[in-house]
């Protein structure tokens, strides 16, 4: 199957499928790395946060039955894409996936002021399978598609509050203009964020056949493991779209969990249909707060 990397998904597809992947931010690898270093080294006053407790090796954990997992209270999980100010050419639909910088900062401040503590996928996995205690008001922050502004804007802002996140990386974009480089992905991992797999070129998982599983899942995951020096166990479906046939293929390739969007979890494999909500660019911090409470 031949793949073509598209700079921008059609707005109608983005709106209905729920995952925009293309950033138009500006910057260079050297400048953005310097920016992040200047922002995060020695200038923030956040203390170590209770949400960053370590978890044992999840590859050795016994998986609970689906009924047990589904009975656990869902942890709020937010999905962000681009973090930049709107432009005149941005469509109404696209603005759902583009968070203005001031709005993103308001979101992070609201979460901190409201007492939320960020957790990471291994902690969630441990909790869902074993009931292991989480910090008070746990929440997970996830970022899809490798956009450069996640590194230059989102990560430094999160650092102010001691927040950690999950960055689901689409490997075809690595090193391209307006996307993160390998070094930047490595830097995020080294700072305690988690890097997850998000396919090679954002192809719809429901359409995979044969070699697609190697091209879209196996090879990109190995690439990310080489970059980070860590095992990659967590996956986000492009557009949030999945089918039951995908789950055994993901398991074969070492995945322990997979994330959808706001649709219903699978009753047989809830670990591979973990729900998230997109943090809309239209949402004020108050609207986000209400959406978290109403969705989870």
């Amino acid at each position: 199957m031949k793949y073509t990397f598209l700079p921008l998904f059609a707005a109608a597809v983005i709106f209905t499928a729920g995952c925009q992947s293309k950033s138009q931010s500006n910057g260079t690898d050297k400048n953005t790395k310097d920016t992040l270093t200047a922002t995060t080294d020695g200038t923030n006053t956040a203390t170590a946060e209770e949400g960053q407790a370590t978890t044992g090796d999840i590859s050795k954990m016994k998986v609970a039955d689906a009924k047990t997992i589904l009975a656990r209270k869902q942890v709020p999980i937010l999905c962000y894409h681009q973090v930049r100010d709107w432009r005149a050419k941005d469509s109404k639909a696209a603005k759902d996936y583009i968070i203005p910088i001031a709005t993103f900062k308001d979101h992070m401040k609201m979460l901190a002021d409201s007492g939320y503590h960020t957790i990471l996928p291994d902690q969630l996995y441990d909790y869902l399978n074993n009931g292991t205690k989480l910090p008070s008001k746990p929440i997970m922050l996830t970022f899809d598609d490798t956009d450069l502004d996640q590194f230059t804007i989102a990560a430094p802002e999160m650092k102010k509050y001691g927040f950690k996140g999950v960055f689901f990386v689409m490997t075809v974009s690595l090193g391209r203009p307006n996307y993160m480089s390998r070094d930047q992905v490595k830097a995020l991992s080294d700072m305690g964020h988690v890097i997850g797999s998000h396919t090679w070129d954002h192809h719809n998982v429901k359409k995979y056949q044969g070699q697609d599983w190697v091209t879209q899942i196996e090879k990109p995951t190995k690439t990310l493991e080489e970059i980070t020096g860590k095992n990659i166990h967590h996956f986000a479906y492009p557009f949030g779209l999945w089918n039951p046939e995908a789950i055994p293929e993901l398991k074969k390739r070492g995945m322990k969990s997979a994330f959808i969007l706001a649709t219903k979890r699978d009753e047989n494999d809830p670990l591979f249909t973990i729900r998230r909500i997109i943090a809309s660019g239209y949402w004020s911090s108050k609207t986000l707060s209400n959406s978290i409470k109403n969705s989870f």
Side-chain angles (χ1 to χ4, degrees):
M1 183 173 184
K2 184 177 180 181
Y3 298 98
T4 302
F5 176 67
L6 299 178
L8 203 51
F9 290 103
V13 174
I14 292 167
F15 182 74
T16 55
C19 186
Q20 178 179 351
S21 75
K22 310 306 172 210
S23 172
Q24 299 170 23
S25 304
N26 294 318
T28 65
D29 290 350
K30 182 181 185 302
N31 290 338
T32 53
K33 190 168 185 177
D34 290 345
T35 298
L36 185 60
T37 301
T39 307
T40 59
D41 290 351
T43 59
N44 92 88
T45 57
T47 57
E49 95 141 276
E50 67 171 289
Q52 306 311 321
T54 57
T55 300
D57 185 356
I58 66 170
S59 65
K60 299 178 180 178
M61 289 184 189
K62 182 179 178 180
V63 177
D65 62 88
K67 184 177 179 180
T68 297
I69 294 169
L70 289 167
R72 307 238 191 253
K73 180 176 174 58
Q74 292 183 72
V75 172
I77 304 176
L78 304 181
C79 176
Y80 286 97
H81 294 84
Q82 297 183 49
V83 184
R84 65 165 174 81
D85 292 335
W86 291 344
R87 298 169 185 155
K89 65 181 179 181
D90 292 328
S91 69
K92 182 178 179 181
K95 288 178 181 177
D96 258 327
Y97 307 92
I98 303 169
I99 307 293
I101 296 171
T103 301
F104 181 79
K105 290 181 176 181
D106 285 345
H107 284 191
M108 295 301 104
K109 186 177 186 302
M110 180 278 292
L111 293 176
D113 290 347
S114 300
Y116 283 100
H117 297 95
T118 56
I119 67 166
L120 296 173
D122 283 8
Q123 289 173 275
L124 180 66
Y125 187 87
D126 193 3
Y127 160 72
L128 291 174
N129 284 299
N130 302 312
T132 302
K133 186 178 179 180
L134 294 174
S136 59
K137 298 191 76 169
I139 196 164
M140 190 181 294
L141 305 179
T142 70
F143 298 82
D144 288 5
D145 305 338
T146 331
D147 292 289
L148 181 58
D149 45 54
Q150 296 171 6
F151 183 87
T152 58
I153 298 170
E157 192 65 24
M158 292 163 64
K159 180 69 175 180
K160 293 178 182 178
Y161 304 103
F163 288 167
K164 300 297 183 185
V166 191
F167 293 81
F168 289 109
V169 172
M170 171 178 66
T171 56
V172 71
S173 61
L174 288 169
R176 291 175 179 262
N178 308 317
Y179 290 90
M180 284 188 263
S181 68
R182 290 173 175 245
D183 286 346
Q184 289 165 335
V185 170
K186 176 70 161 59
L188 288 173
S189 176
D190 289 347
M191 286 186 289
H193 299 288
V194 168
I195 304 302
S197 184
H198 197 44
T199 75
W200 178 59
D201 70 349
H202 214 270
H203 233 63
N204 183 349
V205 169
K206 296 174 75 172
K207 297 181 179 180
Y208 290 3
Q209 297 179 11
Q211 189 67 16
D212 293 344
W213 296 105
V214 175
T215 301
Q216 295 289 347
I217 308 296
E218 193 169 307
K219 289 183 177 180
T221 299
K222 288 180 179 178
T223 296
L224 294 174
E225 290 178 338
E226 290 170 1
I227 290 171
T228 63
K230 300 173 184 177
N231 292 327
I232 303 296
H233 288 307
H234 308 286
F235 176 80
Y237 300 98
F239 314 106
L241 300 177
W242 66 280
N243 58 13
E245 292 76 17
I247 295 174
E249 297 290 346
L250 292 173
K251 290 179 179 178
K252 268 193 257 181
R253 290 161 176 86
M255 297 301 165
K256 298 297 182 182
S257 73
F259 294 77
I260 58 175
L261 289 172
T263 52
K264 185 179 179 181
R265 292 179 292 173
D266 183 68
E267 294 182 357
N268 298 313
D269 276 296
L271 289 175
F272 285 80
T273 50
I274 298 174
R275 293 179 64 253
R276 305 183 288 169
I277 60 170
I278 291 176
S280 172
Y282 292 104
W283 288 358
S284 66
S285 57
K286 182 177 180 180
T287 303
L288 176 63
S289 179
N290 291 334
S291 297
I292 291 170
K293 295 170 185 175
N294 293 333
S295 299
F296 296 96

